């Protein structure tokens, strides 16, 4: 009987130690906070990058939702890593809001020149590394127009031939380029013209045609949903979100005419004095060709690592080759605008002031 009690006590003690050690391990598990964009994009990241990283390393990831701009880099709960649009990252770098880091060295396993040649040109900058290519496009619901369908960016501004509400992100970005393109301004001259008072005046004169026909969106998933329920007939948005929402019940057609090609980058906020080693490990993992290809197979944002394109396959449920749906696919580039990140960062304040002034004007 005495032996039984001793054995029972020993088992209980070992069980308590086992549970305690696992609780302590869980408490000590490192957590990385990543600022990203939510919705179907974040879901794709979770499948292609986040969950595999957690499984391989035991490091836990949490996400913080962001909608662009620099606000996520400031405040009380700044993420360890932020997925940013390239122009925002350039501006943040100039303002000292991001860590300056040699990302080429971070990713190099052999030589710096070797690793750089594996990526699209200019993927590396002083404060960020580009990880995918996306585009801002106009899309429409084919069910909204029984006869003639929109064909070019000019049709977005034609509320007489194509009546109905338009969706736009409430920021002075893509709409400025599209306004000049709708005048017939050559793509090569758009940013030079927008750098002048005359160019901005022309752009807002064209945008004025849309006054009273705009619903502003913030969440990137909104445009597809609002096209689907008939609230909008056309909208700006991201190519990957529109692709994901396409279905027989939501017949969204993307107008690749005037697509504005941009890149997403990984960056480390300077709000944290030091960069966590685990955060650097995450960048190395996320930037490998396998993970980039897997992400592009789910949502058509193109890899920046060139050999990832060779590893791409079909969409997991739609069963179609995803390489054909990337912004940089040759058949999408006829009238593509490559966003000038230098222009964007240097004109941020002026563009915002002009946009705010237009918003305040009456329609008379």
């Amino acid at each position: 009987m005495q032996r039984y009690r001793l054995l029972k006590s020993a088992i209980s003690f070992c069980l308590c130690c086992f549970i305690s050690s696992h609780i302590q391990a869980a408490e000590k598990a490192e957590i990385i906070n990543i600022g990203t964009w939510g919705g179907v994009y974040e879901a794709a990241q979770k499948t292609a990058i986040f969950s595999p990283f957690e499984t391989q390393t035991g490091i836990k990831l949490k996400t913080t939702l962001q909608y662009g701009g620099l606000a996520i880099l400031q405040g009380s709960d700044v993420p360890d890593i932020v997925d940013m649009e390239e122009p925002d990252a350039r501006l943040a770098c100039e303002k000292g809001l991001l860590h300056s880091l040699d990302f080429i060295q971070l990713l190099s396993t052999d030589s710096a020149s070797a690793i750089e040649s594996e990526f699209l040109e200019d993927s590396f900058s002083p404060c960020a590394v580009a990880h995918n290519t996306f585009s801002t496009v106009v899309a429409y619901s084919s069910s909204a127009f029984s006869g003639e369908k929109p064909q070019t960016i000019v049709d977005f501004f034609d509320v007489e031939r194509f009546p109905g509400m338009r969706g736009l992100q409430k920021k002075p970005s893509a709409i400025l380029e599209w306004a000049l393109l709708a005048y017939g301004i050559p793509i090569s001259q758009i940013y030079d013209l927008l750098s002048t008072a005359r160019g901005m005046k022309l752009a807002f004169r064209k945008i004025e045609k849309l006054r009273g026909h705009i619903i502003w969106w913030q969440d990137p998933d909104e445009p597809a949903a609002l096209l689907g329920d008939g609230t909008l007939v056309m909208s700006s948005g991201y190519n990957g979100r529109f692709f994901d929402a396409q279905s027989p019940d939501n017949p969204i057609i993307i107008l690749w005419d005037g697509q504005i090609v941009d890149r997403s980058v990984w960056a480390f906020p300077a709000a944290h004095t030091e960069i966590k080693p685990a955060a650097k490990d995450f960048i190395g993992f996320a930037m490998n060709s396998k993970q980039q290809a897997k992400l592009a197979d789910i949502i058509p944002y193109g890899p920046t690592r060139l050999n990832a394109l060779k590893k791409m396959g079909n969409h997991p449920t739609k069963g179609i080759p995803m390489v054909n749906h990337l912004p940089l696919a040759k058949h999408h580039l006829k009238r593509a605008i490559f966003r000038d990140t230098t222009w964007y960062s240097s004109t941020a304040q002026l563009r915002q002031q002009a946009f705010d002034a237009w918003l305040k004007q009456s329609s008379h």
Side-chain angles (χ1 to χ4, degrees):
M1 193 67 175
Q2 182 67 24
R3 288 180 180 178
Y4 173 75
R5 290 195 188 95
L6 289 172
L7 180 60
K8 185 177 180 181
S9 297
I11 292 173
S12 297
F13 176 77
C14 290
L15 184 60
C16 288
C17 289
F18 177 81
I19 294 173
S20 176
S21 65
H22 277 69
I23 290 174
Q24 290 175 5
E27 289 175 345
K28 291 180 180 178
E30 190 160 9
I31 297 175
I32 300 174
N33 184 359
I34 299 177
T36 189
W37 299 84
V40 296
Y41 175 56
E42 185 175 327
Q45 286 182 309
K46 183 175 182 180
T47 299
I49 304 172
F50 297 169
S51 293
F53 178 77
E54 289 180 319
T55 300
Q56 180 172 307
T57 66
I59 297 168
K60 300 299 179 183
L61 303 179
K62 61 171 285 191
T63 58
T64 296
L65 184 63
Q66 74 136 327
Y67 294 118
L70 309 186
I72 197 168
L73 304 177
Q74 304 166 84
S76 58
D77 190 24
V78 177
D80 300 299
I81 307 167
V82 180
D83 184 349
M84 305 183 70
E85 292 182 355
E86 194 170 37
D88 287 340
R90 179 183 287 271
L91 180 60
C93 187
E94 293 171 359
K95 290 180 174 291
L97 296 174
L98 297 175
H99 280 288
S100 179
L101 186 72
D102 187 347
F103 282 92
I104 295 177
Q105 186 63 40
L106 176 63
L107 298 178
S108 295
T109 54
D110 185 10
S111 68
S113 59
I115 196 70
E116 190 170 12
S117 67
E118 293 180 14
F119 287 84
L120 290 174
E121 188 177 357
D122 298 326
S123 290
F124 298 92
S125 59
C127 296
V129 57
H131 62 89
N132 73 47
T133 301
F134 68 95
S135 67
T136 304
V137 295
V138 165
Y140 68 92
S141 173
S142 65
S143 62
F145 307 106
S146 58
E148 185 183 11
K149 310 289 187 183
Q151 298 294 320
T152 70
I153 204 66
V154 172
D155 299 330
F156 186 73
F157 296 91
D158 194 338
V159 295
E160 294 182 2
R161 288 172 58 225
F162 301 101
M165 300 301 291
R166 273 72 166 154
L168 281 171
Q169 190 174 20
K170 202 170 187 178
K171 59 189 295 188
S173 55
I175 191 62
L176 296 175
E177 290 98 319
W178 288 336
L180 293 194
L181 189 62
Y183 280 118
I185 303 297
I187 288 174
S188 61
Q189 298 177 21
I190 284 177
Y191 287 112
D192 285 341
L193 187 54
L194 282 174
S195 299
T196 68
R198 174 176 171 270
M200 292 297 282
K201 185 177 180 180
L202 277 173
F204 281 104
R205 183 184 299 169
K206 180 66 73 174
I207 297 168
E208 182 64 29
K209 293 181 178 294
L210 298 179
R211 194 184 291 277
H213 300 272
I214 298 173
I215 292 177
W216 303 106
W217 59 264
Q218 181 183 35
D219 185 331
D221 279 343
E222 285 184 84
L226 294 175
L227 286 173
D229 67 17
T231 302
L232 299 174
V233 298
M234 283 191 262
S235 182
S236 68
Y238 300 122
N239 73 288
R241 309 273 180 153
F242 286 135
F243 171 88
D244 183 83
Q246 287 172 330
S247 72
D249 294 329
N250 194 6
I252 292 174
I253 307 297
I254 296 175
L255 285 180
W256 290 98
D257 184 63
Q259 68 151 321
I260 298 178
V261 182
D262 204 346
R263 296 194 289 193
S264 292
V265 303
W266 294 118
F268 297 113
H272 300 287
T273 306
E274 296 183 355
I275 302 171
K276 293 179 180 178
K280 293 181 180 180
D281 292 341
F282 171 82
I283 297 299
F285 182 85
M287 294 297 293
N288 73 57
S289 57
K290 178 182 178 181
Q291 262 53 56
Q292 286 204 349
K294 191 172 182 181
L295 180 69
D297 281 345
I298 301 171
I299 191 165
Y301 296 145
T304 55
R305 197 156 194 160
L306 298 175
N307 63 354
L309 293 169
K310 300 176 183 178
K311 298 180 180 182
M312 286 181 61
N314 294 343
H315 188 272
T317 57
K318 297 185 179 184
I320 56 179
M322 290 298 284
V323 71
N324 295 330
H325 295 271
L326 299 180
L328 296 184
K330 288 184 179 180
H331 53 286
H332 292 156
L333 293 177
K334 184 177 180 180
R335 289 228 301 171
I337 299 171
F338 287 81
R339 179 164 283 166
D340 188 329
T341 57
T342 301
W343 183 84
Y344 260 77
S345 61
S346 63
T347 61
Q349 186 175 354
L350 291 174
R351 284 186 293 111
Q352 191 62 54
Q353 289 173 348
F355 185 64
D356 291 342
W358 180 80
L359 289 173
K360 293 177 181 178
Q361 292 172 5
S362 68
S363 58
H364 301 291

